Amino acid sequence: MAEQPRADLISPDTHGPRSHTCGDLRADHEDAEVTLKGWVDTRRDHGGLIFIDLRDRYGLTQVVFSPQDNEAAYEAAGRLRREDVISVRGTVRPRGDEMVNPDLSTGQIEVKVQELNVLNTAETPPFLVSAHEERQMDTSEDVRLKHRYLDLRRPALQDNLVLRHDLYQTTRHYFDEKDFVEVETPVLMKSTPEGARDFLVPSRLQPGRFYALPQSPQTYKQLLMVGGMDRYFQIVKCFRDEDLRADRQPEFTQIDVEMTFATEEQVYDLTEGLMADLWADLEGTDLETPFPRMSYDDALRTYGTDKPDLRFGLELNDVSDAFADSGFRVFESIVDDGGHILAIRVPDAGDTGRAAMDRLEEHVTEEIGAAGLIYFQFPSDGSDMEQNLSTDAMPKEYGRAAADQIGAGTGDLMLVLAGQAPTVYHQAGQLRLHLGEKLNLRPDPGEGPDRFVWITDFPLVEYDDEAGRYVSMHHPFTAPKPEHLDRLEDNPEDVEARAYDLVLNGNEIGGGSIRIHNRETQEQMFDLLGIDRDEAQERFGFLLDAFRHGAPPHGGIALGLDRLVMLLAGANSLRDVIAFPKNQSGQEPMVKSPDWVDPEQLEALHLQLDLPPDVEPPAQVARRSRLAT
Ligand code: ASP
């Protein structure tokens, strides 16, 4: 039903500029004549007095209307609703002792209103927007994103954007002080391979050709090094057309960095300095540097992932030897085929009941996708170990031997997964995270200590079964370790890269490498990746050519700005730290992008639509595409 417009309430603003924001006034402003402007957050009518919490980005101030002060203003205030925009003039007075609100920075005072201007009215908002309600969990995210301008009025979101702003400032200051130059690189560029699909932009002036939006400015920043810029950084948008499972955004922001003559140590040092400044400025905490380092191999074997969460234990242990002659056919055949048996000791879980163990088994098979879970329980009363495997299938001594190896004993639970690497490591890593959550060992976002770790010594390439060829672990511009160069042709899987990732609390927050800077090695790399010489010249000729003209050694890193802000803000989703994010389907429900375009636009670009049968374009677009077929 259409709402009454209440247009008669609106009046010109006769008050001039505001004298204070809604977060400014304190007890020592008593008797000051002030002008405040903002949104009606809440209204309370107390027969003869109307209280309004007036809200802006800076806070809330209680303003009070009484008929004795201004009859017309009092009447109008009685018709105000949430989110109306008003200007008030009045006098600051202290609140009575029992009315002081210690949770509010302006909680000691209120403003007695002499004059009211209603600057605009608001329809009933589709969801409650109030400084008194930090999280609107009951409102679906799409509704909030559709009315993002309302959602953004929530202090929690505004605080996140302010934190994000602060992060830009500290970052820019940090790099500026160290002689880095912020250089913008093109948004309309040519495809670079960072492992995702490109977003493409058709060219009108060059019919049939496309720009690609940068997955990162990787090649440009390298060209800046060849161009002698020496130290570059940029806070830059990157675009990757990926399936939006988990928490990803198709456009995201990086702090992108590159240095000439860089060594790994210099990149670590520089990045740790930035983190320390960010944590000092934004969190008020001292970070301990240098950060610990862990090889990719150790991370995989101990945590089952290259982004380990070091805030809790439950490490993986290889107990293959203990079970080698156990007689249990499943284990024996896995080990014979070169596989691994991995065990996790869960302290103080030896008495976990059958139902909970059944649920855990189900999680392991259904969610994690392992073939099965074998477990051994050591009751806390010291009674005999129990296993979910008949003693005919495997005598108990083998479980005990494995438990001895990993230090599991009375009161503990030992969980065992078996399979081939790397799958079994990934599965055990997922089980570890699941246990960490179930046992409340993983602090919530924003809580608990922050644990950074550098992951180093990555393999240069891995074999992609689907593609039937090697693919880069990072990207094709990453330098192999010089001492492994001779393995490049015959044993590429044994070549380690000069690459590193920075991980925080189980999140990859950055990655980079020392780069290849000579043409021969770069060509060798393309060969290895199955990119033939012609294609390499066609796609990356500019870089190969640049390497012929005195390209200096160089290296760098890129940090995921959105994720950093999310972790610093203690937010649960990237969407909570981006002003206008895309939803899980890659759409922006407010402006409705992506959207159909006019047939004339397609025509100018020489494009015709060839849509799948289940996609129905609007009539006008449909007419055009039918014409085309
Ligand atoms: N361009 C890389 C990325 O976006 C980072 C780097 O190697 O500096 O992941």
Side-chain angles (χ1 to χ4, degrees), residues 194 215-218 221 238 240 252 254 256-258 474-475 478 508 511-513 515 556-558:
E194 300 268 357
Q215 294 189 31
S216 88
Q218 182 62 35
K221 68 174 173 174
C238 303
R240 295 183 192 177
F252 59 95
Q254 284 187 345
D256 197 37
V257 182
E258 198 74 8
H474 279 79
H475 50 62
T478 303
E508 183 196 322
S513 56
R515 324 296 182 188
I557 190 165

mmCIF file of all heavy atoms in Angstrom, residues 194 215-218 221 238 240 252 254 256-258 474-475 478 508 511-513 515 556-558, ligand 1:
data_model
loop_
_atom_site.group_PDB
_atom_site.id
_atom_site.type_symbol
_atom_site.label_atom_id
_atom_site.label_comp_id
_atom_site.label_asym_id
_atom_site.label_seq_id
_atom_site.Cartn_x
_atom_site.Cartn_y
_atom_site.Cartn_z
ATOM 1 N N GLU A 194 46.451 -15.371 -14.121
ATOM 2 C CA GLU A 194 46.604 -15.545 -12.670
ATOM 3 C C GLU A 194 45.735 -16.715 -12.237
ATOM 4 O O GLU A 194 45.406 -16.863 -11.061
ATOM 5 C CB GLU A 194 46.196 -14.274 -11.929
ATOM 6 C CG GLU A 194 46.992 -13.055 -12.302
ATOM 7 C CD GLU A 194 48.209 -12.821 -11.416
ATOM 8 O OE1 GLU A 194 48.420 -13.565 -10.460
ATOM 9 O OE2 GLU A 194 48.955 -11.875 -11.722
ATOM 10 N N GLN A 215 43.495 -9.270 -13.908
ATOM 11 C CA GLN A 215 43.382 -10.155 -12.739
ATOM 12 C C GLN A 215 44.332 -9.668 -11.658
ATOM 13 O O GLN A 215 44.150 -9.928 -10.483
ATOM 14 C CB GLN A 215 43.693 -11.594 -13.132
ATOM 15 C CG GLN A 215 42.652 -12.159 -14.089
ATOM 16 C CD GLN A 215 42.816 -13.644 -14.309
ATOM 17 O OE1 GLN A 215 43.262 -14.358 -13.431
ATOM 18 N NE2 GLN A 215 42.452 -14.106 -15.487
ATOM 19 N N SER A 216 45.382 -8.993 -12.105
ATOM 20 C CA SER A 216 46.272 -8.228 -11.221
ATOM 21 C C SER A 216 47.180 -7.445 -12.163
ATOM 22 O O SER A 216 47.280 -7.782 -13.344
ATOM 23 C CB SER A 216 47.105 -9.157 -10.336
ATOM 24 O OG SER A 216 48.305 -9.516 -10.989
ATOM 25 N N PRO A 217 47.838 -6.402 -11.676
ATOM 26 C CA PRO A 217 48.719 -5.645 -12.583
ATOM 27 C C PRO A 217 50.090 -6.313 -12.726
ATOM 28 O O PRO A 217 51.090 -5.639 -12.944
ATOM 29 C CB PRO A 217 48.867 -4.293 -11.888
ATOM 30 C CG PRO A 217 48.016 -4.327 -10.674
ATOM 31 C CD PRO A 217 47.743 -5.753 -10.361
ATOM 32 N N GLN A 218 50.148 -7.624 -12.621
ATOM 33 C CA GLN A 218 51.426 -8.339 -12.538
ATOM 34 C C GLN A 218 52.429 -7.916 -13.616
ATOM 35 O O GLN A 218 53.544 -7.515 -13.315
ATOM 36 C CB GLN A 218 51.181 -9.846 -12.601
ATOM 37 C CG GLN A 218 52.445 -10.685 -12.471
ATOM 38 C CD GLN A 218 53.137 -10.483 -11.140
ATOM 39 O OE1 GLN A 218 52.495 -10.293 -10.110
ATOM 40 N NE2 GLN A 218 54.456 -10.482 -11.149
ATOM 41 N N LYS A 221 53.500 -4.200 -13.424
ATOM 42 C CA LYS A 221 54.436 -3.796 -12.360
ATOM 43 C C LYS A 221 55.842 -4.289 -12.693
ATOM 44 O O LYS A 221 56.822 -3.626 -12.386
ATOM 45 C CB LYS A 221 53.958 -4.222 -10.974
ATOM 46 C CG LYS A 221 53.921 -5.686 -10.648
ATOM 47 C CD LYS A 221 53.544 -5.853 -9.159
ATOM 48 C CE LYS A 221 53.325 -7.301 -8.780
ATOM 49 N NZ LYS A 221 53.099 -7.492 -7.350
ATOM 50 N N CYS A 238 41.356 -5.455 -8.813
ATOM 51 C CA CYS A 238 41.652 -6.603 -9.666
ATOM 52 C C CYS A 238 40.336 -7.329 -9.939
ATOM 53 O O CYS A 238 39.399 -7.228 -9.147
ATOM 54 C CB CYS A 238 42.605 -7.559 -8.964
ATOM 55 S SG CYS A 238 44.142 -6.769 -8.472
ATOM 56 N N ARG A 240 38.510 -10.999 -11.239
ATOM 57 C CA ARG A 240 38.638 -12.415 -11.611
ATOM 58 C C ARG A 240 37.251 -13.021 -11.733
ATOM 59 O O ARG A 240 36.444 -12.923 -10.813
ATOM 60 C CB ARG A 240 39.471 -13.177 -10.574
ATOM 61 C CG ARG A 240 40.903 -12.657 -10.559
ATOM 62 C CD ARG A 240 41.846 -13.384 -9.630
ATOM 63 N NE ARG A 240 43.067 -12.570 -9.525
ATOM 64 C CZ ARG A 240 44.106 -12.852 -8.757
ATOM 65 N NH1 ARG A 240 44.097 -13.945 -8.014
ATOM 66 N NH2 ARG A 240 45.154 -12.058 -8.730
ATOM 67 N N PHE A 252 38.074 -7.060 -6.537
ATOM 68 C CA PHE A 252 38.612 -6.942 -5.183
ATOM 69 C C PHE A 252 39.831 -6.044 -5.243
ATOM 70 O O PHE A 252 40.276 -5.660 -6.327
ATOM 71 C CB PHE A 252 38.947 -8.328 -4.624
ATOM 72 C CG PHE A 252 39.949 -9.087 -5.451
ATOM 73 C CD1 PHE A 252 41.296 -9.058 -5.141
ATOM 74 C CD2 PHE A 252 39.537 -9.788 -6.565
ATOM 75 C CE1 PHE A 252 42.226 -9.737 -5.912
ATOM 76 C CE2 PHE A 252 40.466 -10.475 -7.355
ATOM 77 C CZ PHE A 252 41.803 -10.445 -7.025
ATOM 78 N N GLN A 254 43.790 -4.994 -4.138
ATOM 79 C CA GLN A 254 45.089 -5.462 -3.659
ATOM 80 C C GLN A 254 45.969 -4.278 -3.282
ATOM 81 O O GLN A 254 45.844 -3.199 -3.859
ATOM 82 C CB GLN A 254 45.837 -6.211 -4.776
ATOM 83 C CG GLN A 254 45.335 -7.606 -5.060
ATOM 84 C CD GLN A 254 46.241 -8.335 -6.053
ATOM 85 O OE1 GLN A 254 47.075 -7.718 -6.739
ATOM 86 N NE2 GLN A 254 46.078 -9.636 -6.147
ATOM 87 N N ASP A 256 49.443 -3.715 -4.055
ATOM 88 C CA ASP A 256 50.354 -4.374 -4.991
ATOM 89 C C ASP A 256 51.731 -3.713 -4.878
ATOM 90 O O ASP A 256 51.827 -2.482 -4.861
ATOM 91 C CB ASP A 256 49.775 -4.217 -6.404
ATOM 92 C CG ASP A 256 50.402 -5.181 -7.374
ATOM 93 O OD1 ASP A 256 50.683 -6.322 -6.980
ATOM 94 O OD2 ASP A 256 50.611 -4.794 -8.550
ATOM 95 N N VAL A 257 52.767 -4.522 -4.815
ATOM 96 C CA VAL A 257 54.106 -3.999 -4.516
ATOM 97 C C VAL A 257 55.136 -4.672 -5.419
ATOM 98 O O VAL A 257 55.047 -5.875 -5.668
ATOM 99 C CB VAL A 257 54.480 -4.319 -3.043
ATOM 100 C CG1 VAL A 257 55.841 -3.733 -2.700
ATOM 101 C CG2 VAL A 257 53.427 -3.811 -2.076
ATOM 102 N N GLU A 258 56.107 -3.897 -5.882
ATOM 103 C CA GLU A 258 57.214 -4.501 -6.635
ATOM 104 C C GLU A 258 58.483 -3.691 -6.384
ATOM 105 O O GLU A 258 58.437 -2.465 -6.230
ATOM 106 C CB GLU A 258 56.866 -4.524 -8.137
ATOM 107 C CG GLU A 258 57.690 -5.479 -8.969
ATOM 108 C CD GLU A 258 57.345 -6.977 -8.786
ATOM 109 O OE1 GLU A 258 56.350 -7.296 -8.108
ATOM 110 O OE2 GLU A 258 58.099 -7.801 -9.324
ATOM 111 N N HIS A 474 51.882 -20.343 -8.562
ATOM 112 C CA HIS A 474 51.561 -18.921 -8.399
ATOM 113 C C HIS A 474 51.161 -18.343 -9.748
ATOM 114 O O HIS A 474 50.005 -18.262 -10.067
ATOM 115 C CB HIS A 474 52.723 -18.164 -7.752
ATOM 116 C CG HIS A 474 52.748 -18.321 -6.259
ATOM 117 N ND1 HIS A 474 53.242 -19.440 -5.654
ATOM 118 C CD2 HIS A 474 52.303 -17.524 -5.260
ATOM 119 C CE1 HIS A 474 53.099 -19.322 -4.323
ATOM 120 N NE2 HIS A 474 52.538 -18.162 -4.066
ATOM 121 N N HIS A 475 52.142 -17.947 -10.536
ATOM 122 C CA HIS A 475 51.876 -17.541 -11.919
ATOM 123 C C HIS A 475 53.156 -17.736 -12.705
ATOM 124 O O HIS A 475 54.223 -17.966 -12.110
ATOM 125 C CB HIS A 475 51.341 -16.104 -11.997
ATOM 126 C CG HIS A 475 52.156 -15.106 -11.235
ATOM 127 N ND1 HIS A 475 53.464 -14.849 -11.539
ATOM 128 C CD2 HIS A 475 51.864 -14.334 -10.170
ATOM 129 C CE1 HIS A 475 53.938 -13.944 -10.706
ATOM 130 N NE2 HIS A 475 52.985 -13.623 -9.845
ATOM 131 N N THR A 478 56.947 -16.356 -11.922
ATOM 132 C CA THR A 478 57.656 -16.674 -10.687
ATOM 133 C C THR A 478 58.972 -17.378 -11.001
ATOM 134 O O THR A 478 58.999 -18.334 -11.780
ATOM 135 C CB THR A 478 56.761 -17.614 -9.850
ATOM 136 O OG1 THR A 478 55.523 -16.952 -9.642
ATOM 137 C CG2 THR A 478 57.398 -17.961 -8.533
ATOM 138 N N GLU A 508 44.873 -16.792 3.636
ATOM 139 C CA GLU A 508 45.972 -16.280 2.823
ATOM 140 C C GLU A 508 45.709 -14.804 2.620
ATOM 141 O O GLU A 508 44.701 -14.422 2.023
ATOM 142 C CB GLU A 508 46.002 -17.015 1.472
ATOM 143 C CG GLU A 508 47.164 -16.586 0.624
ATOM 144 C CD GLU A 508 47.008 -16.998 -0.828
ATOM 145 O OE1 GLU A 508 46.495 -18.103 -1.096
ATOM 146 O OE2 GLU A 508 47.387 -16.182 -1.689
ATOM 147 N N GLY A 511 50.551 -12.843 -1.352
ATOM 148 C CA GLY A 511 51.469 -13.779 -1.979
ATOM 149 C C GLY A 511 52.305 -13.043 -3.002
ATOM 150 O O GLY A 511 51.900 -12.005 -3.523
ATOM 151 N N GLY A 512 53.491 -13.582 -3.252
ATOM 152 C CA GLY A 512 54.334 -12.950 -4.254
ATOM 153 C C GLY A 512 55.539 -13.814 -4.527
ATOM 154 O O GLY A 512 55.586 -14.979 -4.115
ATOM 155 N N SER A 513 56.497 -13.213 -5.207
ATOM 156 C CA SER A 513 57.681 -13.995 -5.575
ATOM 157 C C SER A 513 58.773 -13.075 -6.085
ATOM 158 O O SER A 513 58.542 -11.912 -6.402
ATOM 159 C CB SER A 513 57.335 -15.003 -6.670
ATOM 160 O OG SER A 513 56.767 -14.349 -7.791
ATOM 161 N N ARG A 515 60.880 -12.660 -9.352
ATOM 162 C CA ARG A 515 60.395 -12.993 -10.706
ATOM 163 C C ARG A 515 61.525 -13.477 -11.602
ATOM 164 O O ARG A 515 62.704 -13.207 -11.367
ATOM 165 C CB ARG A 515 59.774 -11.756 -11.381
ATOM 166 C CG ARG A 515 59.030 -10.827 -10.484
ATOM 167 C CD ARG A 515 57.816 -11.450 -9.868
ATOM 168 N NE ARG A 515 57.113 -10.450 -9.045
ATOM 169 C CZ ARG A 515 56.088 -10.743 -8.260
ATOM 170 N NH1 ARG A 515 55.639 -11.988 -8.164
ATOM 171 N NH2 ARG A 515 55.494 -9.799 -7.551
ATOM 172 N N GLY A 556 58.267 -9.006 -5.733
ATOM 173 C CA GLY A 556 57.279 -8.244 -4.963
ATOM 174 C C GLY A 556 56.227 -9.124 -4.351
ATOM 175 O O GLY A 556 56.410 -10.337 -4.177
ATOM 176 N N ILE A 557 55.130 -8.478 -4.064
ATOM 177 C CA ILE A 557 54.047 -9.177 -3.358
ATOM 178 C C ILE A 557 52.746 -8.416 -3.596
ATOM 179 O O ILE A 557 52.784 -7.229 -3.968
ATOM 180 C CB ILE A 557 54.362 -9.230 -1.831
ATOM 181 C CG1 ILE A 557 53.381 -10.162 -1.102
ATOM 182 C CG2 ILE A 557 54.357 -7.844 -1.193
ATOM 183 C CD1 ILE A 557 53.861 -10.542 0.295
ATOM 184 N N ALA A 558 51.634 -9.086 -3.432
ATOM 185 C CA ALA A 558 50.336 -8.400 -3.419
ATOM 186 C C ALA A 558 49.568 -8.892 -2.204
ATOM 187 O O ALA A 558 49.559 -10.079 -1.903
ATOM 188 C CB ALA A 558 49.565 -8.696 -4.698
HETATM 189 N N1 ASP B 1 50.149 -10.751 -8.982
HETATM 190 C C1 ASP B 1 50.149 -11.721 -7.917
HETATM 191 C C2 ASP B 1 48.723 -12.005 -7.468
HETATM 192 O O1 ASP B 1 47.822 -11.244 -7.727
HETATM 193 C C3 ASP B 1 50.913 -11.286 -6.726
HETATM 194 C C4 ASP B 1 52.370 -11.163 -6.982
HETATM 195 O O2 ASP B 1 52.985 -12.132 -7.444
HETATM 196 O O3 ASP B 1 52.921 -10.087 -6.673
HETATM 197 O O4 ASP B 1 48.488 -12.994 -6.806
#
